[in-house]
Amino acid sequence: MAWKLLSLSALTTKSPKVTSFEIPTCLFLKFIKHLCSSSVLNLGHVVSLDHGLNLDSFYASLIDNSTHKRHLDQIHNQLIVSGLKHNGFLITKLVNGSSNLGHICYARKLFDEFSHPDVFLWNAIIRGYSRSNLFRNTIEMYGLMRREGVDPDGFTFPYVLKACTELLDFRLSCLVHGQVIRYGFGPDVFVQNGLVAMYAKCGNIGMARVVFDGLNDRTVVSWTSIISGYAQNGEALEALRLFNQMRNTDVKLDWIALVSIVRAYGDVDDLEQGRSLHGCIIKMGFEDEPDLLISLTAFYAKCGQVIVARSFFDQMKTSSVIMWNAMISGYAKNGHAEEAVDLFREMITRNIKPDSVTVRSAALASAQVGSLKLAQWMDDYVSKSEYASDIFVNTALIDMYAKCGNVESARIVFDRASEKDVIMWSAMIMGYGLHGQGWEAINLYHAMRQAGVCPNDVTFIGLLTACNHSGLVREGWELFHCMRGFGIEPRNEHYSCVVDLLGRAGYLDQAYDFIMKMSIEPGVSVWGALLSACKIHRHVTLGEYAAKKLFSLDPYNTGHYVQLSNLYASSRLWDHVAHVRVLMREKGLSKDLGYSVIEINGKLQVFHVGDKSHPRSDEIYNEIQRLERRLKEIGFVPHTESVLHDLNYEEKEENLNIHSERIAVAYGLISTAPGTILRITKNLRACVNCHSAIKLISKLVEREIIVRDANRFHHFKDGLCSCGDYW
Ligand code: ZN
Ligand code: ZN
């Protein structure tokens, strides 16, 4: 086909020569491009001079090649002059052209000026809004179109579905799905892909799967939607199963699909598979794709490979908040709390805006660091930020304060939060539980019920823990039995709280009967609770039974051996103690080394057993000896024997008094003003000897000493501990 066209001079001068000649299409298009970039274009001449020209095609080409709004404006004016303003085809082209150039308002103006738009023009404006990320307007236009009695077609639905997806509006999604079926576009592959993505993103993965399973022609887009749907809905295993299924088809993988799959491997903590996929990614040449790099960073961070993750992170040098989140939460979740906090501070100094996820990860990390000063800094940061009323962030702050040993500050955050959901109430209840404030927890639970909030399974874990740490047997028992009334099936965590509660109070037989009547298979935590109760009450036969169960369920956990050995030690069965040591050696298990951390003026100081590395070591040991003398004066007798054989503790015969927490206490006393509260964190459980000693020390020096051990908080004050010697 050839185009009849005027000479160039005819187009650009006021008095054109009327010459026409034929040129091939490709040349014509080049010519149009040239016209569009020249500002002297005078379209009037083109169209009025040669009526042989196909005007629709001519204008269409002009619109397609327009690069500025003023071109479109000029063309539109020309259409009006030439009486073509009712040409639906060209107006549709113009609307599409304007929205492509980012002028959606201009597109809308053109649309509004056109009377009785057909489906093509409606589609153009719907598509325009959708591509401009104005999803409410997309839906609004779709509604208008239907009210005008124009039926949607296969090109309408993908954009409408995309809008539903982005708006996460499930009700609307169902409505549109119904219309898809009514108008007979059920089998359209684009529409179907849109449906899969929509349901998956709205969190209804079941519906997404139904549509996906009904697809006859699955493209990489459909696979990606369903796989990422499962990944995002926390069903990583199903995502990976589908991924393997996809690999058996001839659908070609793209990097968008890989982003979700890498993420899924991170969620299931499958380092090996993820690594081999990383190899494939390199082979396929996608390793520079930024989104993939972010998901690889998150993957390695989640799998605990923080060094690898950090190298990706450093390579990228990006200000993408997702990347920072991946790294910060990776650090926080893998016990590198200080790195997480450092990175968070760096992010703030670099003026990269954290989002709610970042702030939550940073609060989680601060809780792990256990520094109250840091916790206060976080709180300060949040209250000045836009997240001050973010319900998730506030919940993280409550948890953080509780774990940093300051349940009062946790309560302040709780009280000031304007919006409270069951998770926040539960976090506060859990905080009281951790600190052995059973009644506070129960009172808060009643307040929560009064506020009309329905408890969930976590609320009950908090309550049972609280009762447990306060020895409230009857209350705990009653609470456990009202769980089912809220439709909550107890899990192992709930059962083990009850076993602990009964066991510690000495109702060992009842605890055993309770386990036997459980509606689920008793797990490690349940038998562990029974074993530790047996240790307290020196019930060797039942303890051995529990230990046997534990060794078969969880053979490589040092803790169980230690507990059994402690049970024997408490009953003075030294041969048995020795036997457990042999067992452990055979299995290649060694006990964890104990250490304690104390915060002085915002600086954390770590002490190991018998630690003499501190520059003020001499002063510390003088203080220890001074305290020791004073303890003896008031009649303190060390629990030498049990401690000596107690595998849980960092014992050495001559080192009884220098367990790490004792060094931390001494250092705290010489480094702070009288009356200052000492806050110590210990990685293992506190031993009986240290517990009794610190109780008395708190009275001798008139200080409050707060020790967080592996299990709970001990608030030592006036010679007593908040745990009531019950830990
Ligand atoms: Zn100790
Ligand atoms: Zn205590």
Side-chain angles (χ1 to χ4, degrees):
M1 166 176 123
W3 293 84
K4 275 191 181 167
L5 200 74
L6 312 168
S7 71
L8 185 62
S9 67
L11 293 164
T12 51
T13 58
K14 291 249 160 131
S15 49
K17 271 198 285 178
V18 188
T19 41
S20 82
F21 50 90
E22 303 208 342
I23 58 165
T25 309
C26 60
L27 256 182
F28 173 73
L29 288 180
K30 268 193 190 159
F31 177 60
I32 295 288
K33 266 193 186 159
H34 172 77
L35 280 186
C36 287
S37 55
S38 94
S39 50
V40 290
L41 169 62
N42 186 345
L43 286 168
H45 300 135
V46 184
V47 284
S48 57
L49 290 176
D50 192 341
H51 296 285
L53 195 64
N54 178 335
L55 289 183
D56 279 11
S57 311
F58 171 70
Y59 280 118
S61 295
L62 272 181
I63 295 167
D64 286 347
N65 287 292
S66 298
T67 49
H68 284 103
K69 179 170 162 264
R70 63 184 159 81
H71 295 156
L72 299 173
D73 217 15
Q74 228 179 37
I75 297 166
H76 185 227
N77 287 336
Q78 195 54 47
L79 293 185
I80 296 168
V81 172
S82 350
L84 286 167
K85 69 172 181 173
H86 299 299
N87 184 320
F89 168 73
L90 290 175
I91 298 297
T92 303
K93 274 256 166 210
L94 269 178
V95 168
N96 275 332
S98 336
S99 68
N100 286 349
L101 293 176
H103 295 282
I104 185 68
C105 293
Y106 183 66
R108 177 63 185 266
K109 183 177 151 284
L110 293 171
F111 176 86
D112 286 343
E113 282 170 12
F114 195 87
S115 50
H116 307 300
D118 60 3
V119 66
F120 302 108
L121 189 48
W122 279 104
N123 283 349
I125 193 72
I126 287 172
R127 170 185 167 277
Y129 276 124
S130 175
R131 295 185 56 155
S132 313
N133 295 333
L134 296 165
F135 302 112
R136 291 255 163 246
N137 300 70
T138 313
I139 299 295
E140 183 202 358
M141 288 318 276
Y142 173 68
L144 271 176
M145 167 183 179
R146 305 226 27 244
R147 242 167 289 144
E148 295 283 314
V150 178
D151 287 344
D153 67 9
F155 294 96
T156 322
F157 285 115
Y159 296 108
V160 176
L161 290 173
K162 167 115 199 300
C164 295
T165 310
E166 296 297 332
L167 293 171
L168 296 176
D169 188 334
F170 183 65
R171 205 188 52 82
L172 187 68
S173 302
C174 294
L175 214 74
V176 174
H177 189 179
Q179 285 156 8
V180 165
I181 295 169
R182 179 137 36 92
Y183 285 105
F185 293 98
D188 183 299
V189 68
F190 290 107
V191 176
Q192 284 187 330
N193 283 340
L195 283 169
V196 174
M198 175 188 80
Y199 281 122
K201 274 223 177 137
C202 292
N204 193 323
I205 192 70
M207 275 305 289
R209 185 58 179 266
V210 169
V211 181
F212 178 81
D213 285 342
L215 280 176
N216 358 2
D217 191 13
R218 292 171 187 167
T219 64
V220 67
V221 180
S222 11
W223 283 103
T224 306
S225 300
I226 193 76
I227 290 173
S228 55
Y230 275 111
Q232 280 155 14
N233 283 286
E235 293 187 47
L237 279 175
E238 189 56 22
L240 295 172
R241 217 184 56 72
L242 280 164
F243 170 58
N244 287 328
Q245 212 176 314
M246 173 189 180
R247 287 183 114 177
N248 292 328
T249 66
D250 45 16
V251 173
K252 211 167 161 292
L253 265 175
D254 63 9
W255 67 264
I256 302 172
L258 286 166
V259 169
S260 309
I261 296 152
V262 170
R263 180 150 112 189
Y265 278 126
D267 289 343
V268 297
D269 210 354
D270 193 336
L271 182 61
E272 280 320 300
Q273 291 290 326
R275 255 200 200 129
S276 83
L277 186 67
H278 184 189
C280 298
I281 289 170
I282 295 172
K283 268 189 222 141
M284 287 184 270
F286 291 137
E287 80 266 34
D288 292 328
E289 211 54 67
D291 285 357
L292 252 181
L293 274 174
I294 292 174
S295 66
L296 278 170
T297 310
F299 160 76
Y300 281 111
K302 265 194 185 156
C303 292
Q305 305 289 307
V306 285
I307 297 172
V308 185
R310 185 60 191 248
S311 75
F312 277 111
F313 178 83
D314 289 339
Q315 250 175 55
M316 288 271 290
K317 288 196 181 69
T318 165
S319 56
S320 147
V321 65
I322 306 174
M323 188 70 162
W324 286 78
N325 284 352
M327 203 59 233
I328 291 174
S329 71
Y331 274 138
K333 284 182 188 140
N334 289 292
H336 300 263
E338 282 169 47
E339 284 95 332
V341 173
D342 286 347
L343 209 57
F344 180 67
R345 287 185 199 256
E346 185 182 336
M347 187 173 182
I348 291 166
T349 34
R350 284 221 217 158
N351 277 326
I352 297 168
K353 208 171 135 340
D355 65 8
S356 151
V357 178
T358 332
V359 181
R360 271 148 67 195
S361 299
L364 172 75
S366 308
Q368 286 169 17
V369 174
S371 149
L372 190 60
K373 197 153 185 179
L374 177 62
Q376 277 153 352
W377 179 82
M378 268 313 292
D379 186 7
D380 214 43
Y381 171 80
V382 169
S383 52
K384 283 181 201 139
S385 78
E386 65 194 89
Y387 304 112
S389 54
D390 184 306
I391 190 162
F392 299 109
V393 169
N394 279 323
T395 305
L397 287 184
I398 291 169
D399 185 54
M400 172 189 76
Y401 267 131
K403 287 194 176 135
C404 291
N406 196 325
V407 72
E408 295 80 18
S409 297
R411 183 58 189 255
I412 292 170
V413 176
F414 178 80
D415 286 338
R416 117 190 137 199
S418 51
E419 202 191 335
K420 297 179 178 69
D421 63 358
V422 60
I423 304 170
M424 188 183 284
W425 284 92
S426 303
M428 193 62 232
I429 290 174
M430 198 72 184
Y432 282 129
L434 212 55
H435 290 268
Q437 303 189 9
W439 282 113
E440 303 284 352
I442 292 174
N443 289 339
L444 194 65
Y445 169 70
H446 290 309
M448 167 182 166
R449 295 292 298 131
Q450 232 153 32
V453 179
C454 199
N456 66 11
D457 57 329
V458 182
T459 321
F460 280 100
I461 290 180
L463 282 167
L464 292 172
T465 310
C467 291
N468 200 357
H469 285 172
S470 312
L472 302 173
V473 183
R474 199 172 58 85
E475 289 75 9
W477 184 255
E478 281 168 6
L479 281 164
F480 176 80
H481 284 94
C482 76
M483 274 176 71
R484 284 204 175 93
F486 293 101
I488 304 162
E489 261 316 299
R491 289 185 276 119
N492 259 302
E493 286 98 318
H494 301 99
Y495 283 112
S496 58
C497 280
V498 176
V499 171
D500 216 4
L501 194 59
L502 292 171
R504 281 166 197 265
Y507 303 114
L508 288 173
D509 294 339
Q510 283 89 335
Y512 177 76
D513 286 345
F514 178 76
I515 296 176
M516 289 302 133
K517 285 187 195 136
M518 275 173 64
S519 57
I520 52 171
E521 199 56 42
V524 172
S525 58
V526 173
W527 292 117
L530 185 64
L531 176 55
S532 70
C534 289
K535 191 207 106 186
I536 298 173
H537 299 286
R538 302 180 184 176
H539 197 314
V540 176
T541 35
L542 193 55
E544 282 176 329
Y545 180 76
K548 223 157 95 191
K549 292 278 182 191
L550 285 167
F551 294 161
S552 72
L553 284 172
D554 190 14
Y556 291 100
N557 189 324
T558 323
H560 309 320
Y561 294 89
V562 170
Q563 281 287 42
L564 180 62
S565 160
N566 290 348
L567 166 63
Y568 287 141
S570 67
S571 312
R572 300 169 184 271
L573 297 165
W574 308 126
D575 296 354
H576 289 67
V577 171
H579 179 65
V580 177
R581 287 194 188 217
V582 171
L583 260 180
M584 282 179 73
R585 209 171 305 136
E586 278 170 8
K587 291 211 182 250
L589 299 172
S590 62
K591 65 197 180 84
D592 293 337
L593 274 179
Y595 63 84
S596 294
V597 184
I598 185 167
E599 181 182 6
I600 304 288
N601 299 327
K603 204 172 160 265
L604 296 176
Q605 184 65 50
V606 183
F607 292 102
H608 293 95
V609 60
D611 202 326
K612 291 197 170 146
S613 60
H614 197 274
R616 296 180 68 188
S617 200
D618 288 349
E619 287 170 78
I620 295 173
Y621 278 84
N622 282 340
E623 179 68 11
I624 290 176
Q625 273 164 16
R626 200 180 66 83
L627 289 169
E628 203 63 19
R629 272 197 307 277
R630 294 186 63 190
L631 282 173
K632 276 207 180 108
E633 278 163 28
I634 57 167
F636 176 73
V637 185
H639 305 243
T640 341
E641 203 156 36
S642 69
V643 174
L644 269 183
H645 294 273
D646 194 335
L647 274 176
N648 205 9
Y649 317 123
E650 333 101 299
E651 81 283 13
K652 259 184 197 159
E653 284 171 57
E654 71 278 19
N655 282 347
L656 244 192
N657 51 347
I658 44 173
H659 279 179
S660 58
E661 60 267 53
R662 301 284 290 281
I663 306 175
V665 167
Y667 175 63
L669 289 175
I670 60 168
S671 317
T672 55
T676 312
I677 301 176
L678 301 183
R679 293 170 194 279
I680 294 162
T681 308
K682 164 147 198 187
N683 66 332
L684 303 176
R685 275 173 56 163
C687 78
V688 183
N689 192 55
C690 290
H691 195 270
S692 313
I694 298 174
K695 272 201 298 188
L696 289 174
I697 291 172
S698 74
K699 193 182 168 95
L700 283 175
V701 299
E702 293 174 11
R703 294 264 198 136
E704 196 178 336
I705 302 171
I706 302 174
V707 179
R708 165 186 170 190
D709 74 3
N711 270 24
R712 56 166 298 146
F713 276 94
H714 301 269
H715 291 253
F716 296 98
K717 203 178 169 186
D718 290 334
L720 296 171
C721 179
S722 63
C723 74
D725 299 332
Y726 208 86
W727 81 101

